[in-house]
Amino acid sequence: QVSGTLRERAVELGQEVLAGDLLARVYSPALEPARDSAQARLEELNAQYEQALREYQRSSRLRKRGMVSQQALEQLAAKRDSLRASVATAEASLAEATRLLEESELRAPFDGRVEAILVENDEYVSSGQPVIRLSSPRGREVEVRLPAYLLSHVFPGQNVPIWPVQDRS
């Protein structure tokens, strides 16, 4: 999901790997600062929200004694609610920045063996570019080519007839 320079390759050709093992790490200079900035923004908004909450609670008590107008109390409630929404947005931004940083680590999706190393250290890697090819000793891998007009007629789990390209009978 991220582009960058391949900074670390943790496996060698022919090496056995388990699902979840670190294969390689891509370095993108913007990822860590983006995460740190999102974390700082969240902390700032949390502090502002907590202050707005205290102001509202204080003013609410004073309103009961008639010392604060209803309008002022409503303005404080609106400020509090706005900051609560901003905190939620900042939490989502932090989660996204953290997820992107985690995706700079390439991990084995299944148990297998390193079949090919397609990119060397310090080479640039585009998002979606293959870096390492794994093979699994379990089962066989089959490539199925399906015409686009049939896609709406095939569903997961459905049994379909197949034949080798050479034998269409």
Side-chain angles (χ1 to χ4, degrees):
Q1 295 296 319
V2 298
S3 300
T5 306
L6 188 69
R7 283 292 164 94
E8 176 187 347
R9 192 182 75 226
V11 294
E12 296 297 328
L13 191 62
Q15 181 177 336
E16 296 279 336
V17 295
L18 299 174
D21 282 356
L22 179 67
L23 302 175
R25 188 172 279 120
V26 175
Y27 172 74
S28 181
L31 294 179
E32 285 187 44
R35 192 241 0 241
D36 294 345
S37 175
Q39 178 68 44
R41 179 71 178 143
L42 177 59
E43 290 171 7
E44 174 187 7
L45 286 169
N46 270 326
Q48 290 177 7
Y49 170 70
E50 290 170 10
Q51 177 61 34
L53 186 59
R54 286 190 300 270
E55 286 177 16
Y56 175 79
Q57 290 168 344
R58 249 189 322 271
S59 294
S60 181
R61 287 190 299 269
L62 292 173
R63 171 73 186 128
K64 289 177 183 175
R65 291 191 231 162
M67 300 174 74
V68 171
S69 70
Q70 183 64 33
Q71 179 183 4
L73 189 62
E74 289 173 359
Q75 287 174 342
L76 288 172
K79 179 181 177 183
R80 176 202 62 200
D81 295 344
S82 172
L83 283 168
R84 185 178 338 155
S86 294
V87 166
T89 301
E91 287 171 341
S93 294
L94 176 59
E96 175 69 12
T98 301
R99 185 187 60 78
L100 282 174
L101 188 58
E102 288 170 356
E103 287 187 10
S104 68
E105 292 182 343
L106 307 175
R107 298 194 172 272
F110 53 83
D111 296 352
R113 180 184 306 256
V114 177
E115 185 178 279
I117 295 173
L118 307 171
V119 178
E120 294 297 327
N121 281 346
D122 298 323
E123 281 187 55
Y124 183 79
V125 178
S126 297
S127 175
Q129 177 183 348
V131 175
I132 293 172
R133 189 169 54 227
L134 298 178
S135 64
S136 174
R138 296 187 189 135
R140 292 189 175 142
E141 185 174 317
V142 177
E143 179 178 342
V144 177
R145 295 177 183 226
L146 189 67
Y149 70 89
L150 288 178
L151 289 177
S152 63
H153 303 291
V154 179
F155 306 98
Q158 178 182 355
N159 290 327
V160 295
I162 61 169
W163 58 87
V165 174
Q166 297 83 8
D167 176 18
R168 294 188 182 261
S169 61

